[in-house]
Amino acid sequence: MRNNVARDYYAILGVDRSANDQELKRAYRRLARELHPDVNPAEEERFKEVTTAYEVLSDPQKRQIVDAGGDPLDPRGGAGFDGFGGFGGLSDVFEAFFGQGFGAGGGGRSRGPRGRVQAGSDALVRVTLDLEECATGSRKELTVDTAILCDLCVGSGSASGGKPTRCATCGGSGEVQSVQRSFLGQMVTARPCPTCSGAGEVVQDPCGKCSGAGRVRARRSITVDIPAGAGEGVRVRLAGQGEVGPGGGAAGDLYVEVRERPHPVFFRNGDDLHCTVRVPVVDAALGATIPMTTILGEEALVEVAAGTQPGAVVELRGQGMPQVRGGVRGTLHVHLDVVVPARLDHKQAEKLREFRDLRDEEPEVVSAASNHTGGLFSRLKEAFRGR
């Protein structure tokens, strides 16, 4: 038997069916902060469900389908019930999608005015940091260009501070209708009112600075603290620092996204760092202690064991990048590049010949039977075999 029960998007978002756009956005933001995978990985599926519910209810056409008992995301075309999904007929289907009524004298169902005051949008600004700044954390002064509250009318949009009045063109409905005839009968189409832009009200004496919008664009400076361990793509949220909404509505959030500048010595992989140290062949054979400076400017010692082979890696735990949450530092992987001298003077060459005679070793063509050392050729074969 087919399941005919449509999803309750209002219950998923935790709002009443009468919730306006601002209430929907406020509920979504609260749940998104709580359920985001970066904060709560176990709630990833619920986060996706909440996001879907918000996208559906914030779309006027999809919300009409929900209010009519259907599901706009249903693979059967939005039906929550048999036939036309619980609608009264063909005219209700078109009306749910387009706000239109069909038939003799059929009038379009009004969605109502959207209101002059609306919540503002979020804003995004990027900042480029050196790897050292990412490791230690950094405080940055940034210049942002966003809509801010008009200081002349304080968001009212009126030069005298008066309240807006009902729009004479649409009578406060926020939309105007036009009638057309088609093969299905009379069709009434609703569109946003050109006078009030769908708000349902107008300001009679617009502010000379913001022209009645209640907000103006301005460049301003802000201070942001980038936490230690932040890296490429990490975003820092500054609540209420985004775009002020139309009519002086509440400001959205500002997100500062980190861009990480490549480092000349260290390569980052998550919380771990990698670097290469060139080791003379004699030091690789006899062993050595090599001092180096870490990303935090601390002195560390790299212990090269006697007999170190090319490609060996020394791990310095706790010398990598700090985690954003918890502060635990990763590992610094020091890759050892054993350097064979390209030129030797007479005395050096003679000493090496003496060393060769003492070792009494001969070059060998490596075969599968004789390769017990896991040399380069063996590693290459394994790589090509996909091992």
Side-chain angles (χ1 to χ4, degrees), residues 152-201:
L152 189 59
C153 66
V154 198
S156 70
S158 170
S160 62
K163 294 183 178 180
T165 59
R166 187 170 64 176
C167 177
T169 302
C170 65
S173 66
E175 59 187 21
V176 294
Q177 298 178 345
S178 59
V179 180
Q180 295 177 329
R181 293 186 176 276
S182 71
F183 70 96
L184 293 174
Q186 182 172 286
M187 180 175 65
V188 180
T189 304
R191 58 186 177 85
C193 174
T195 301
C196 64
S197 300
E201 53 188 13

Side-chain angles (χ1 to χ4, degrees), residues 339-355:
V339 180
V340 178
R343 295 182 179 181
L344 299 172
D345 59 27
H346 177 75
K347 187 174 182 180
Q348 292 170 340
E350 184 63 31
K351 292 295 183 182
L352 280 179
R353 290 189 188 98
E354 293 177 8
F355 175 74

Side-chain angles (χ1 to χ4, degrees), residues 243-266:
E243 303 273 356
V244 167
D253 297 334
L254 175 66
Y255 290 88
V256 180
E257 184 175 274
V258 174
R259 288 285 185 262
E260 189 175 285
R261 188 177 289 113
H263 195 274
V265 174
F266 299 104

